[in-house]
Amino acid sequence: MRYDEPPAPELFTWEFATDPYPAYAWLREHAPVHRTKLPSGVEAWLVTRYGDAKQALADPRLSKNPAHHDEPAHAKGKTGIPGERKAELMTHLLNIDPPDHTRLRRLVAKAFTPRRVAEFAPRVQELTDQLIDQFATSGSADLIHEFAFPLPIYAICDLLGVPREDQDDFRDWAGMMIRHGGGPRGGVARSVKKMRGYLAELIHRKREALSDLPEPGEDLISGLIRASDEGEHLTENEVAAMAFILLFAGFETTVNLIGNGVYALLTHPEQRARLQASLTVEDSSLLETGIEELLRYDGPVELATWRFATQPLTIGGQDIAAGDPVLVVLAAADRDPARFADPDTLDLGRRDNQHLGYGHGIHYCLGAPLARLEGRSALATLLTRLPDLQLALEPSELRWRGGLIMRGLRTLPVEFTPVHESGRPSPAVP
């Protein structure tokens, strides 16, 4: 390091969690592929430049299978979701490579279609309105716990076919998972085990009741059981693992998309005013580009999930040994000035916006269309129904969760003029 260079930033502190972008800017300039020790004790390479990140996300020499990790004893079991191995939930899309990944994704795609997501839009809007109904008359709310968290939980439960009477259990299990950054690791594993037991029973019941032909509005678990490719079906473990990862990966990314998105709008009043003006005249074009910009500017997934080098390779001029973990820093890549003009500026109308918020290549997020649908519904409805929404705390008083992969707020207290709508019911959710 030259004497006139600033010192390397400290990573993964609470201060870093609040605003990691200056540290990522330093890494992009001075150490774009940087080896560091993570809070868990595992050492990994961080890839921070857009070009290198895009290459790494699509490089077949970087495996998703944890079996390729040349891990020391102290790192055993610290690179995945706590408890997923013991619960036999490893065979999902985030942990496997081709050809198994190709087969599994093809089968899942037959059930989790864009048409199925589009047909689900009215239910997402209904849930959005019901949740807002529950706090609209109070004049204040915590948008994480009262809105951003329950919306994707109830939505994915409905989509999967979890009966309404069981959905609060899922909400409790998911609540433990979303606290994994600051809570006991054993608590997450226990929740995973309970969810696995429930899914096994639910899948068995649905398999027994499955009709010969698909029925209109059939739930996603039934679709996963039914999905076949030249006579080949998903195993029960694969169906359970897929349902689990849709819930685990799907709900937390959407919680953070809504929470981070609302926070960004409330701290950028000129952009928020642009969006509200377009919604007033029922022009959805700025909402469409705006969601993409919020995903780029302060997206829900800070680091892509784990990859492991299957052979020696070079990324960004840096040699990486076989067995080394590699983490692509999506948040850093999406603020790379070599790819995005004025990357630290929020511009809801940004057109050239090939961000990496939901990944790239064969592991591009299968649930991205559902997350975008929920994000659009949440932001448009909040800004329309609560037009004077504002933060109830100073931004410096907010706290961010200290996890590795995800980026999101612990709470988001807001204030607004109470809305009294005579005759509008406020039904319980779900």
Side-chain angles (χ1 to χ4, degrees), residues 16-29:
F16 170 85
T18 298
D19 182 9
Y21 296 103
Y24 289 149
W26 191 95
L27 289 176
R28 278 196 310 267
E29 183 176 354

Side-chain angles (χ1 to χ4, degrees), residues 244-311:
F244 166 73
I245 204 62
L246 280 171
L247 181 75
F248 186 89
F251 93 88
E252 192 169 0
T253 55
T254 308
V255 173
N256 295 345
L257 170 58
I258 296 170
N260 298 5
V262 171
Y263 174 72
L265 292 173
L266 296 184
T267 52
H268 293 79
E270 72 293 341
Q271 294 296 312
R272 176 248 189 94
R274 285 180 68 191
L275 182 54
Q276 284 182 302
S278 69
L279 294 172
T280 299
V281 296
E282 298 184 356
D283 178 1
S284 64
S285 59
L286 193 64
L287 180 63
E288 298 285 340
T289 58
I291 287 290
E292 301 311 309
E293 176 67 345
L294 293 169
L295 284 164
R296 181 202 70 82
Y297 179 78
D298 197 11
V301 184
E302 190 167 344
L303 284 75
T305 49
W306 295 86
R307 285 166 167 77
F308 307 95
T310 58
Q311 61 189 75

